[in-house]
Amino acid sequence: MLHGIDISSHQKSFETDGVDFVFIKATEGRSYVSPQLTDQTKRARDAGCTVGFYHFLWPGNIEAQAEYFLAKTEEREGDLLALDWERTGDGTAATGKEKDAFLREIKRLRPDHRVLLYCNRDFWLNRDTTSYTGDGLWIADYVTKGKPRIKADWCIHQYTDTPLDQNVADFGDREELTAWARRG
């Protein structure tokens, strides 16, 4: 399995030793762009990591949020795009229908990119009704790495948030991940 991290503006610096992929929070809703986005992207690329960007979804205005996300992330072959589906700071959450619509809109607007759904185990088991993940599921379940407690196929498992969000990807090596990301 490959090792990766996901980061937000809270991690102004991060280590890339032993890291194969980095997901970077790019946007949230229709007004937030991470002030660290450019620097974090450069650091991950300079380390030779596969780069992914994620958008924190708010309820409503789904097409506008998708357009906003893509307007703030460069379009580069092999980059991954992900939807972060969880509770917002005010306790609300996008519906499953909104989750599906966002993923479909991103796939429509950037058809040559892999699109993933990120959610925790509770959302996957208790809120999701369609099992639609775009091109793959990125599941958060803080248990033994590589062994999330779900029956569905997954691509990435976030297994801890200490000292930052750490993940494993179900790929044999970097070349396999790169080929998949490039739709190989």
Side-chain angles (χ1 to χ4, degrees), residues 53-179:
F53 300 102
Y54 70 91
H55 174 81
F56 190 98
L57 188 66
W58 279 74
N61 302 301
I62 300 306
E63 287 182 9
Q65 286 188 70
E67 291 169 2
Y68 184 75
F69 173 50
L70 296 181
K72 303 303 179 184
T73 56
E74 65 180 296
E75 187 170 353
R76 186 169 174 165
E77 182 183 23
D79 283 349
L80 301 170
L81 303 171
L83 161 63
D84 182 349
W85 184 41
E86 58 185 294
R87 288 192 191 282
T88 65
D90 65 6
T92 62
T95 65
K97 183 177 179 180
E98 290 173 316
K99 175 263 300 180
D100 290 354
F102 185 90
L103 290 168
R104 285 187 169 88
E105 185 66 3
I106 294 300
K107 287 187 67 61
R108 184 184 74 77
L109 294 171
R110 287 218 184 140
D112 295 330
H113 285 77
R114 295 283 186 179
V115 178
L116 296 103
L117 169 66
Y118 167 90
C119 67
N120 63 38
R121 182 174 180 260
D122 175 63
F123 267 59
W124 182 252
L125 295 176
N126 301 311
R127 291 183 175 263
D128 185 75
T129 58
T130 66
S131 299
Y132 181 66
T133 64
D135 295 308
L137 176 61
W138 173 12
I139 189 76
D141 188 25
Y142 296 170
V143 293
T144 303
K145 68 181 171 182
K147 296 186 179 194
R149 297 169 296 163
I150 60 171
K151 293 180 181 176
D153 289 334
W154 54 273
C155 292
I156 300 174
H157 174 210
Q158 182 184 90
Y159 61 91
T160 187
D161 62 356
T162 304
L164 69 155
D165 292 344
Q166 296 184 49
N167 305 269
V168 290
D170 194 18
F171 294 91
D173 56 33
R174 279 188 179 200
E175 290 75 28
E176 186 180 336
L177 173 61
T178 299

